[in-house]
Amino acid sequence: MVFNARDHIAVDTLAGRDAQDGIAIRSDLLPPTTHDSNIRGIVDREIWDALRIPVCAAAGNRCEICGERSTRNGRSSRPDCHEKWVFEFRDDRPVQRLQRLIAVCQGCRQVQHSGLARVKGLEHEVIARLCRINRWSREQADADLDRSSARCSYLDQFDWDLDLSVLRGQIVLRDYPDMYVPAQD
């Protein structure tokens, strides 16, 4: 599959149940160059909790993609809080921008981490969820996994600056008051 470079910005991997194009979720792979660029790795647990718990509560403790309640070990639980990233270029600088935080169930989270699911031998669960939620055929789900892999390979060519400005006023990054962390840092 050939990846169209312009698609790296346009692909919304977490559109939600009311997506206008009928696609509620797409598989996603973050490029290895960004694996350590996440909020949970930057802030203390109590700060992460202060960010994620209200996101889940605002969603009624349901997945914002499929609407399901989260369960762990057969018991009701709070959904996971997932970081929705946009990859874009600003003045020829690659920027990984946090668009928002979103509540997701374990199954939808697995679709967003489809590479990890593959490593764990659970890719069949990702495919089944893509088919069920989007009403896709197996071929469409496979094509989406191929698209995600191609996108990841393209994005992995760059070192991404990290833009967390959407969280301005909610957290403070002592060394980065503008909430913008250059890739070399």
Side-chain angles (χ1 to χ4, degrees):
M1 173 179 211
V2 176
F3 184 75
N4 179 343
R6 287 173 291 197
D7 290 341
H8 75 280
I9 295 172
V11 174
D12 186 355
T13 62
L14 289 167
R17 292 182 317 218
D18 300 321
Q20 292 179 341
D21 61 1
I23 300 172
I25 190 169
R26 291 183 176 274
S27 61
D28 199 18
L29 291 169
L30 292 179
T33 54
T34 68
H35 284 184
D36 293 326
S37 299
N38 60 63
I39 300 165
R40 291 177 314 280
I42 294 172
V43 301
D44 293 335
R45 177 66 185 206
E46 65 186 37
I47 294 171
W48 175 239
D49 286 348
L51 291 170
R52 73 180 180 84
I53 291 171
V55 167
C56 295
N61 282 317
R62 292 184 174 273
C63 178
E64 293 183 55
I65 302 303
C66 68
E68 295 176 6
R69 288 205 174 274
S70 286
T71 59
R72 288 194 205 312
N73 301 322
R75 298 178 57 181
S76 183
S77 68
R78 181 179 294 118
D80 287 332
C81 187
H82 185 74
E83 299 155 329
K84 184 173 178 179
W85 298 105
V86 173
F87 293 87
E88 57 195 4
F89 289 88
R90 296 183 196 156
D91 300 322
D92 291 329
R93 294 218 32 100
V95 177
Q96 175 188 0
R97 177 176 52 86
L98 180 64
Q99 185 175 36
R100 74 184 194 97
L101 299 175
I102 183 171
V104 295
C105 66
Q106 285 290 309
C108 288
R109 181 180 185 278
Q110 189 173 33
V111 172
Q112 291 300 286
H113 295 279
S114 56
L116 181 58
R118 180 178 292 146
V119 168
K120 291 181 173 182
L122 301 173
E123 187 173 60
H124 65 282
E125 292 180 13
V126 170
I127 291 168
R129 182 162 286 270
L130 286 168
C131 290
R132 182 174 63 82
I133 292 176
N134 293 326
R135 297 186 183 110
W136 280 353
S137 66
R138 168 69 191 245
E139 292 75 27
Q140 288 172 300
D142 285 339
D144 191 61
L145 289 169
D146 290 345
R147 177 212 46 84
S148 180
S149 292
R151 177 178 179 259
C152 180
S153 293
Y154 174 76
L155 295 176
D156 198 40
Q157 298 175 64
F158 305 97
D159 291 320
W160 297 91
D161 290 353
L162 187 63
D163 179 353
L164 299 173
S165 60
V166 72
L167 298 177
R168 191 174 285 125
Q170 296 178 60
I171 65 170
V172 174
L173 298 178
R174 184 179 34 148
D175 296 332
Y176 306 96
D178 62 353
M179 305 295 286
Y180 190 92
V181 182
Q184 66 268 17
D185 295 352

